[in-house]
Amino acid sequence: MAALGRGVGADLGAAEVGPVEAGEAPKDIKMPTYTHGQSRPSLGDGKLRKPMVIEIIEKKFDYLRKEKTLNIYGTVTFGTTAGFSGMLANLIFRHCFKVKHDGLKTYASLTTLPFLSTVVAYKLLVTDALYSGNISRENCVLRSSLIGIVCGVLYPTALAFSKNGRLAVKYHTVPLPPKGRVLLHWLLLCHTEIKAMVVPFILQTIFGVLHGLQHYAIFESTLEKTVH
């Protein structure tokens, strides 16, 4: 019985030692161990202290700011040409109606209102529609040129015509026509000088087309460089 017990114990000891020796790892391989509270290695260590993703995002935002600034400058320039068109219209109709009163008031309104109307109309009809993806290149150019014609030529011309006509009636600088023929009488007085508004009409049309093309090119470039 004692011999049998020693044999069984030897066999069990061999069974316990065998698997350990078979699965024993080489001494030159070091397994990483981490204790509680010890920080693991990260990509931010060493040279990559600032994450690359944040740098890319910052570059994209810088690019977007530059493109937005360029677009704002173009729209402001577009509105400024409309303001100059209003000044020219005011000068023409003041000369036609022989008005010499309220010069500062009329020039201020004829410069400010066309400028604001052009900027606001372009923002609503072109910029917002473009960045919402509702218009194409051709539609963008068409809207831009129409804004240049309507807000940059027709609106200041009609505004200068009405303001200076009222001043002419108020200060009696031109003879009053028969009742019911006021507009016709005013048009006859200005039919020669009003032809000078053809010049801003052509310039605003050309500038509207160029600005529309430039704005759409900026939009495509921004979309490509940010979304990609």
Side-chain angles (χ1 to χ4, degrees):
M1 292 297 292
L4 180 61
R6 286 194 298 270
V8 173
D11 293 336
L12 291 175
E16 290 178 357
V17 174
V20 175
E21 294 178 352
E24 186 178 357
K27 294 181 179 181
D28 58 342
I29 297 178
K30 297 181 180 180
M31 301 299 291
T33 59
Y34 298 97
T35 61
H36 180 70
Q38 182 179 357
S39 60
R40 294 173 178 266
S42 61
L43 293 177
D45 296 339
K47 296 181 179 180
L48 299 177
R49 294 187 181 276
K50 192 171 185 180
M52 188 178 299
V53 175
I54 297 179
E55 294 181 2
I56 295 174
I57 292 175
E58 289 178 351
K59 290 180 181 179
K60 297 299 182 182
F61 274 112
D62 290 338
Y63 182 79
L64 285 173
R65 280 194 291 266
K66 292 178 182 179
E67 298 297 334
K68 186 177 180 180
T69 303
L70 180 61
N71 178 39
I72 291 175
Y73 284 161
T75 305
V76 170
T77 305
F78 198 22
T80 304
T81 57
F84 281 116
S85 179
M87 293 177 62
L88 177 61
N90 189 48
L91 178 64
I92 291 174
F93 287 110
R94 285 180 68 86
H95 174 72
C96 294
F97 293 128
K98 301 178 182 179
V99 176
K100 297 181 180 179
H101 302 83
D102 299 335
L104 181 61
K105 184 178 180 180
T106 55
Y107 275 110
S109 61
L110 262 298
T111 304
T112 305
L113 293 177
F115 172 82
L116 293 177
S117 63
T118 301
V119 171
V120 172
Y122 193 89
K123 169 70 168 55
L124 295 176
L125 299 178
V126 179
T127 303
D128 292 348
L130 186 61
Y131 283 91
S132 63
N134 293 331
I135 58 176
S136 60
R137 182 197 300 269
E138 293 76 13
N139 203 348
C140 179
V141 173
L142 178 61
R143 291 190 183 193
S144 180
S145 59
L146 288 177
I147 290 172
I149 293 171
V150 175
C151 298
V153 180
L154 299 182
Y155 173 63
T157 301
L159 189 62
F161 182 80
S162 62
K163 281 184 173 293
N164 289 288
R166 292 173 184 174
L167 291 175
V169 173
K170 179 180 179 181
Y171 295 104
H172 304 284
T173 56
V174 293
L176 294 176
K179 187 177 181 180
R181 298 182 180 179
V182 178
L183 293 178
L184 179 60
H185 178 68
W186 288 353
L187 289 174
L188 291 176
L189 286 175
C190 306
H191 75 280
T192 302
E193 290 82 355
I194 203 175
K195 294 178 181 178
M197 293 302 296
V198 175
V199 176
F201 181 88
I202 296 173
L203 292 178
Q204 283 295 100
T205 304
I206 295 174
F207 194 82
V209 171
L210 294 178
H211 184 51
L213 290 173
Q214 181 187 21
H215 192 180
Y216 195 86
I218 292 173
F219 167 73
E220 282 189 334
S221 177
T222 305
L223 187 65
E224 179 182 356
K225 292 185 178 181
T226 54
V227 174
H228 178 72

mmCIF file with all atom_site columns, all heavy atoms in Angstrom, residues 24-41:
data_model
loop_
_atom_site.group_PDB
_atom_site.id
_atom_site.type_symbol
_atom_site.label_atom_id
_atom_site.label_alt_id
_atom_site.label_comp_id
_atom_site.label_asym_id
_atom_site.label_entity_id
_atom_site.label_seq_id
_atom_site.pdbx_PDB_ins_code
_atom_site.Cartn_x
_atom_site.Cartn_y
_atom_site.Cartn_z
_atom_site.occupancy
_atom_site.B_iso_or_equiv
_atom_site.pdbx_formal_charge
_atom_site.auth_seq_id
_atom_site.auth_comp_id
_atom_site.auth_asym_id
_atom_site.auth_atom_id
_atom_site.pdbx_PDB_model_num
ATOM 1   N N   . GLU A 1 24 ? 6.198  26.900 -20.408 1.00 0.00 ? 24 GLU A N   1
ATOM 2   C CA  . GLU A 1 24 ? 7.073  27.923 -19.841 1.00 0.00 ? 24 GLU A CA  1
ATOM 3   C C   . GLU A 1 24 ? 7.646  28.811 -20.947 1.00 0.00 ? 24 GLU A C   1
ATOM 4   O O   . GLU A 1 24 ? 8.112  28.327 -21.967 1.00 0.00 ? 24 GLU A O   1
ATOM 5   C CB  . GLU A 1 24 ? 8.206  27.232 -19.076 1.00 0.00 ? 24 GLU A CB  1
ATOM 6   C CG  . GLU A 1 24 ? 9.102  28.226 -18.321 1.00 0.00 ? 24 GLU A CG  1
ATOM 7   C CD  . GLU A 1 24 ? 10.170 27.510 -17.549 1.00 0.00 ? 24 GLU A CD  1
ATOM 8   O OE1 . GLU A 1 24 ? 10.161 26.249 -17.563 1.00 0.00 ? 24 GLU A OE1 1
ATOM 9   O OE2 . GLU A 1 24 ? 11.023 28.171 -16.930 1.00 0.00 ? 24 GLU A OE2 1
ATOM 10  N N   . ALA A 1 25 ? 7.571  30.115 -20.736 1.00 0.00 ? 25 ALA A N   1
ATOM 11  C CA  . ALA A 1 25 ? 8.045  31.074 -21.743 1.00 0.00 ? 25 ALA A CA  1
ATOM 12  C C   . ALA A 1 25 ? 9.543  31.261 -21.635 1.00 0.00 ? 25 ALA A C   1
ATOM 13  O O   . ALA A 1 25 ? 10.118 31.083 -20.554 1.00 0.00 ? 25 ALA A O   1
ATOM 14  C CB  . ALA A 1 25 ? 7.350  32.405 -21.547 1.00 0.00 ? 25 ALA A CB  1
ATOM 15  N N   . PRO A 1 26 ? 10.226 31.620 -22.753 1.00 0.00 ? 26 PRO A N   1
ATOM 16  C CA  . PRO A 1 26 ? 11.660 31.881 -22.695 1.00 0.00 ? 26 PRO A CA  1
ATOM 17  C C   . PRO A 1 26 ? 11.962 33.029 -21.765 1.00 0.00 ? 26 PRO A C   1
ATOM 18  O O   . PRO A 1 26 ? 11.152 33.949 -21.586 1.00 0.00 ? 26 PRO A O   1
ATOM 19  C CB  . PRO A 1 26 ? 12.015 32.229 -24.157 1.00 0.00 ? 26 PRO A CB  1
ATOM 20  C CG  . PRO A 1 26 ? 10.926 31.610 -24.968 1.00 0.00 ? 26 PRO A CG  1
ATOM 21  C CD  . PRO A 1 26 ? 9.715  31.666 -24.113 1.00 0.00 ? 26 PRO A CD  1
ATOM 22  N N   . LYS A 1 27 ? 13.158 32.978 -21.174 1.00 0.00 ? 27 LYS A N   1
ATOM 23  C CA  . LYS A 1 27 ? 13.514 33.979 -20.186 1.00 0.00 ? 27 LYS A CA  1
ATOM 24  C C   . LYS A 1 27 ? 13.771 35.351 -20.801 1.00 0.00 ? 27 LYS A C   1
ATOM 25  O O   . LYS A 1 27 ? 13.670 36.371 -20.148 1.00 0.00 ? 27 LYS A O   1
ATOM 26  C CB  . LYS A 1 27 ? 14.767 33.519 -19.442 1.00 0.00 ? 27 LYS A CB  1
ATOM 27  C CG  . LYS A 1 27 ? 14.531 32.270 -18.592 1.00 0.00 ? 27 LYS A CG  1
ATOM 28  C CD  . LYS A 1 27 ? 15.786 31.878 -17.860 1.00 0.00 ? 27 LYS A CD  1
ATOM 29  C CE  . LYS A 1 27 ? 15.547 30.649 -16.987 1.00 0.00 ? 27 LYS A CE  1
ATOM 30  N NZ  . LYS A 1 27 ? 16.763 30.254 -16.247 1.00 0.00 ? 27 LYS A NZ  1
ATOM 31  N N   . ASP A 1 28 ? 14.145 35.420 -22.118 1.00 0.00 ? 28 ASP A N   1
ATOM 32  C CA  . ASP A 1 28 ? 14.477 36.710 -22.723 1.00 0.00 ? 28 ASP A CA  1
ATOM 33  C C   . ASP A 1 28 ? 13.267 37.506 -23.172 1.00 0.00 ? 28 ASP A C   1
ATOM 34  O O   . ASP A 1 28 ? 13.402 38.619 -23.658 1.00 0.00 ? 28 ASP A O   1
ATOM 35  C CB  . ASP A 1 28 ? 15.408 36.481 -23.920 1.00 0.00 ? 28 ASP A CB  1
ATOM 36  C CG  . ASP A 1 28 ? 14.773 35.568 -24.946 1.00 0.00 ? 28 ASP A CG  1
ATOM 37  O OD1 . ASP A 1 28 ? 13.805 34.855 -24.580 1.00 0.00 ? 28 ASP A OD1 1
ATOM 38  O OD2 . ASP A 1 28 ? 15.266 35.557 -26.093 1.00 0.00 ? 28 ASP A OD2 1
ATOM 39  N N   . ILE A 1 29 ? 12.057 36.941 -23.076 1.00 0.00 ? 29 ILE A N   1
ATOM 40  C CA  . ILE A 1 29 ? 10.832 37.661 -23.454 1.00 0.00 ? 29 ILE A CA  1
ATOM 41  C C   . ILE A 1 29 ? 10.241 38.275 -22.210 1.00 0.00 ? 29 ILE A C   1
ATOM 42  O O   . ILE A 1 29 ? 9.950  37.576 -21.243 1.00 0.00 ? 29 ILE A O   1
ATOM 43  C CB  . ILE A 1 29 ? 9.806  36.717 -24.120 1.00 0.00 ? 29 ILE A CB  1
ATOM 44  C CG1 . ILE A 1 29 ? 10.386 36.168 -25.424 1.00 0.00 ? 29 ILE A CG1 1
ATOM 45  C CG2 . ILE A 1 29 ? 8.495  37.442 -24.388 1.00 0.00 ? 29 ILE A CG2 1
ATOM 46  C CD1 . ILE A 1 29 ? 9.465  35.200 -26.127 1.00 0.00 ? 29 ILE A CD1 1
ATOM 47  N N   . LYS A 1 30 ? 10.063 39.606 -22.242 1.00 0.00 ? 30 LYS A N   1
ATOM 48  C CA  . LYS A 1 30 ? 9.527  40.317 -21.101 1.00 0.00 ? 30 LYS A CA  1
ATOM 49  C C   . LYS A 1 30 ? 8.095  40.703 -21.371 1.00 0.00 ? 30 LYS A C   1
ATOM 50  O O   . LYS A 1 30 ? 7.800  41.387 -22.355 1.00 0.00 ? 30 LYS A O   1
ATOM 51  C CB  . LYS A 1 30 ? 10.364 41.572 -20.816 1.00 0.00 ? 30 LYS A CB  1
ATOM 52  C CG  . LYS A 1 30 ? 11.800 41.248 -20.429 1.00 0.00 ? 30 LYS A CG  1
ATOM 53  C CD  . LYS A 1 30 ? 12.564 42.507 -20.137 1.00 0.00 ? 30 LYS A CD  1
ATOM 54  C CE  . LYS A 1 30 ? 14.006 42.194 -19.739 1.00 0.00 ? 30 LYS A CE  1
ATOM 55  N NZ  . LYS A 1 30 ? 14.767 43.437 -19.453 1.00 0.00 ? 30 LYS A NZ  1
ATOM 56  N N   . MET A 1 31 ? 7.193  40.290 -20.562 1.00 0.00 ? 31 MET A N   1
ATOM 57  C CA  . MET A 1 31 ? 5.776  40.601 -20.698 1.00 0.00 ? 31 MET A CA  1
ATOM 58  C C   . MET A 1 31 ? 5.492  41.921 -19.997 1.00 0.00 ? 31 MET A C   1
ATOM 59  O O   . MET A 1 31 ? 5.954  42.146 -18.872 1.00 0.00 ? 31 MET A O   1
ATOM 60  C CB  . MET A 1 31 ? 4.926  39.473 -20.077 1.00 0.00 ? 31 MET A CB  1
ATOM 61  C CG  . MET A 1 31 ? 5.159  38.101 -20.698 1.00 0.00 ? 31 MET A CG  1
ATOM 62  S SD  . MET A 1 31 ? 4.774  38.053 -22.436 1.00 0.00 ? 31 MET A SD  1
ATOM 63  C CE  . MET A 1 31 ? 3.007  38.232 -22.327 1.00 0.00 ? 31 MET A CE  1
ATOM 64  N N   . PRO A 1 32 ? 4.745  42.845 -20.679 1.00 0.00 ? 32 PRO A N   1
ATOM 65  C CA  . PRO A 1 32 ? 4.443  44.148 -20.059 1.00 0.00 ? 32 PRO A CA  1
ATOM 66  C C   . PRO A 1 32 ? 3.460  43.969 -18.920 1.00 0.00 ? 32 PRO A C   1
ATOM 67  O O   . PRO A 1 32 ? 2.499  43.214 -19.015 1.00 0.00 ? 32 PRO A O   1
ATOM 68  C CB  . PRO A 1 32 ? 3.820  44.945 -21.202 1.00 0.00 ? 32 PRO A CB  1
ATOM 69  C CG  . PRO A 1 32 ? 3.283  43.926 -22.131 1.00 0.00 ? 32 PRO A CG  1
ATOM 70  C CD  . PRO A 1 32 ? 4.174  42.734 -22.017 1.00 0.00 ? 32 PRO A CD  1
ATOM 71  N N   . THR A 1 33 ? 3.725  44.617 -17.843 1.00 0.00 ? 33 THR A N   1
ATOM 72  C CA  . THR A 1 33 ? 2.824  44.597 -16.702 1.00 0.00 ? 33 THR A CA  1
ATOM 73  C C   . THR A 1 33 ? 2.451  46.021 -16.332 1.00 0.00 ? 33 THR A C   1
ATOM 74  O O   . THR A 1 33 ? 3.263  46.947 -16.478 1.00 0.00 ? 33 THR A O   1
ATOM 75  C CB  . THR A 1 33 ? 3.491  43.912 -15.508 1.00 0.00 ? 33 THR A CB  1
ATOM 76  O OG1 . THR A 1 33 ? 4.695  44.617 -15.186 1.00 0.00 ? 33 THR A OG1 1
ATOM 77  C CG2 . THR A 1 33 ? 3.799  42.456 -15.801 1.00 0.00 ? 33 THR A CG2 1
ATOM 78  N N   . TYR A 1 34 ? 1.238  46.212 -15.897 1.00 0.00 ? 34 TYR A N   1
ATOM 79  C CA  . TYR A 1 34 ? 0.730  47.524 -15.531 1.00 0.00 ? 34 TYR A CA  1
ATOM 80  C C   . TYR A 1 34 ? 0.153  47.437 -14.127 1.00 0.00 ? 34 TYR A C   1
ATOM 81  O O   . TYR A 1 34 ? -0.620 46.531 -13.828 1.00 0.00 ? 34 TYR A O   1
ATOM 82  C CB  . TYR A 1 34 ? -0.351 47.997 -16.507 1.00 0.00 ? 34 TYR A CB  1
ATOM 83  C CG  . TYR A 1 34 ? 0.146  48.155 -17.911 1.00 0.00 ? 34 TYR A CG  1
ATOM 84  C CD1 . TYR A 1 34 ? -0.036 47.128 -18.852 1.00 0.00 ? 34 TYR A CD1 1
ATOM 85  C CD2 . TYR A 1 34 ? 0.807  49.298 -18.299 1.00 0.00 ? 34 TYR A CD2 1
ATOM 86  C CE1 . TYR A 1 34 ? 0.431  47.261 -20.139 1.00 0.00 ? 34 TYR A CE1 1
ATOM 87  C CE2 . TYR A 1 34 ? 1.262  49.434 -19.596 1.00 0.00 ? 34 TYR A CE2 1
ATOM 88  C CZ  . TYR A 1 34 ? 1.084  48.408 -20.503 1.00 0.00 ? 34 TYR A CZ  1
ATOM 89  O OH  . TYR A 1 34 ? 1.538  48.551 -21.782 1.00 0.00 ? 34 TYR A OH  1
ATOM 90  N N   . THR A 1 35 ? 0.550  48.351 -13.341 1.00 0.00 ? 35 THR A N   1
ATOM 91  C CA  . THR A 1 35 ? 0.000  48.439 -11.992 1.00 0.00 ? 35 THR A CA  1
ATOM 92  C C   . THR A 1 35 ? -1.132 49.421 -11.963 1.00 0.00 ? 35 THR A C   1
ATOM 93  O O   . THR A 1 35 ? -1.310 50.222 -12.880 1.00 0.00 ? 35 THR A O   1
ATOM 94  C CB  . THR A 1 35 ? 1.106  48.873 -11.016 1.00 0.00 ? 35 THR A CB  1
ATOM 95  O OG1 . THR A 1 35 ? 1.588  50.152 -11.412 1.00 0.00 ? 35 THR A OG1 1
ATOM 96  C CG2 . THR A 1 35 ? 2.234  47.851 -11.001 1.00 0.00 ? 35 THR A CG2 1
ATOM 97  N N   . HIS A 1 36 ? -1.902 49.392 -10.903 1.00 0.00 ? 36 HIS A N   1
ATOM 98  C CA  . HIS A 1 36 ? -3.054 50.280 -10.760 1.00 0.00 ? 36 HIS A CA  1
ATOM 99  C C   . HIS A 1 36 ? -2.591 51.731 -10.661 1.00 0.00 ? 36 HIS A C   1
ATOM 100 O O   . HIS A 1 36 ? -1.729 52.069 -9.856  1.00 0.00 ? 36 HIS A O   1
ATOM 101 C CB  . HIS A 1 36 ? -3.840 49.898 -9.510  1.00 0.00 ? 36 HIS A CB  1
ATOM 102 C CG  . HIS A 1 36 ? -5.044 50.778 -9.316  1.00 0.00 ? 36 HIS A CG  1
ATOM 103 N ND1 . HIS A 1 36 ? -6.135 50.709 -10.157 1.00 0.00 ? 36 HIS A ND1 1
ATOM 104 C CD2 . HIS A 1 36 ? -5.311 51.728 -8.390  1.00 0.00 ? 36 HIS A CD2 1
ATOM 105 C CE1 . HIS A 1 36 ? -7.034 51.583 -9.755  1.00 0.00 ? 36 HIS A CE1 1
ATOM 106 N NE2 . HIS A 1 36 ? -6.553 52.213 -8.672  1.00 0.00 ? 36 HIS A NE2 1
ATOM 107 N N   . GLY A 1 37 ? -3.153 52.589 -11.490 1.00 0.00 ? 37 GLY A N   1
ATOM 108 C CA  . GLY A 1 37 ? -2.781 54.003 -11.496 1.00 0.00 ? 37 GLY A CA  1
ATOM 109 C C   . GLY A 1 37 ? -1.658 54.339 -12.431 1.00 0.00 ? 37 GLY A C   1
ATOM 110 O O   . GLY A 1 37 ? -1.290 55.503 -12.590 1.00 0.00 ? 37 GLY A O   1
ATOM 111 N N   . GLN A 1 38 ? -1.044 53.353 -13.082 1.00 0.00 ? 38 GLN A N   1
ATOM 112 C CA  . GLN A 1 38 ? 0.043  53.610 -14.025 1.00 0.00 ? 38 GLN A CA  1
ATOM 113 C C   . GLN A 1 38 ? -0.530 53.974 -15.383 1.00 0.00 ? 38 GLN A C   1
ATOM 114 O O   . GLN A 1 38 ? -1.430 53.320 -15.877 1.00 0.00 ? 38 GLN A O   1
ATOM 115 C CB  . GLN A 1 38 ? 0.932  52.379 -14.146 1.00 0.00 ? 38 GLN A CB  1
ATOM 116 C CG  . GLN A 1 38 ? 2.125  52.588 -15.086 1.00 0.00 ? 38 GLN A CG  1
ATOM 117 C CD  . GLN A 1 38 ? 3.003  51.359 -15.170 1.00 0.00 ? 38 GLN A CD  1
ATOM 118 O OE1 . GLN A 1 38 ? 2.729  50.373 -14.478 1.00 0.00 ? 38 GLN A OE1 1
ATOM 119 N NE2 . GLN A 1 38 ? 4.025  51.411 -15.981 1.00 0.00 ? 38 GLN A NE2 1
ATOM 120 N N   . SER A 1 39 ? -0.045 55.045 -16.023 1.00 0.00 ? 39 SER A N   1
ATOM 121 C CA  . SER A 1 39 ? -0.547 55.503 -17.323 1.00 0.00 ? 39 SER A CA  1
ATOM 122 C C   . SER A 1 39 ? 0.027  54.656 -18.428 1.00 0.00 ? 39 SER A C   1
ATOM 123 O O   . SER A 1 39 ? 1.203  54.304 -18.410 1.00 0.00 ? 39 SER A O   1
ATOM 124 C CB  . SER A 1 39 ? -0.176 56.971 -17.535 1.00 0.00 ? 39 SER A CB  1
ATOM 125 O OG  . SER A 1 39 ? 1.226  57.123 -17.515 1.00 0.00 ? 39 SER A OG  1
ATOM 126 N N   . ARG A 1 40 ? -0.822 54.350 -19.403 1.00 0.00 ? 40 ARG A N   1
ATOM 127 C CA  . ARG A 1 40 ? -0.385 53.576 -20.562 1.00 0.00 ? 40 ARG A CA  1
ATOM 128 C C   . ARG A 1 40 ? 0.212  54.507 -21.612 1.00 0.00 ? 40 ARG A C   1
ATOM 129 O O   . ARG A 1 40 ? -0.112 55.686 -21.676 1.00 0.00 ? 40 ARG A O   1
ATOM 130 C CB  . ARG A 1 40 ? -1.569 52.816 -21.165 1.00 0.00 ? 40 ARG A CB  1
ATOM 131 C CG  . ARG A 1 40 ? -2.115 51.753 -20.223 1.00 0.00 ? 40 ARG A CG  1
ATOM 132 C CD  . ARG A 1 40 ? -3.376 51.153 -20.786 1.00 0.00 ? 40 ARG A CD  1
ATOM 133 N NE  . ARG A 1 40 ? -3.883 50.097 -19.925 1.00 0.00 ? 40 ARG A NE  1
ATOM 134 C CZ  . ARG A 1 40 ? -3.627 48.817 -20.062 1.00 0.00 ? 40 ARG A CZ  1
ATOM 135 N NH1 . ARG A 1 40 ? -2.827 48.427 -21.032 1.00 0.00 ? 40 ARG A NH1 1
ATOM 136 N NH2 . ARG A 1 40 ? -4.140 47.927 -19.235 1.00 0.00 ? 40 ARG A NH2 1
ATOM 137 N N   . PRO A 1 41 ? 1.041  54.000 -22.519 1.00 0.00 ? 41 PRO A N   1
ATOM 138 C CA  . PRO A 1 41 ? 1.599  54.831 -23.581 1.00 0.00 ? 41 PRO A CA  1
ATOM 139 C C   . PRO A 1 41 ? 0.492  55.322 -24.509 1.00 0.00 ? 41 PRO A C   1
ATOM 140 O O   . PRO A 1 41 ? -0.467 54.604 -24.783 1.00 0.00 ? 41 PRO A O   1
ATOM 141 C CB  . PRO A 1 41 ? 2.553  53.880 -24.319 1.00 0.00 ? 41 PRO A CB  1
ATOM 142 C CG  . PRO A 1 41 ? 2.816  52.774 -23.367 1.00 0.00 ? 41 PRO A CG  1
ATOM 143 C CD  . PRO A 1 41 ? 1.616  52.644 -22.509 1.00 0.00 ? 41 PRO A CD  1
#
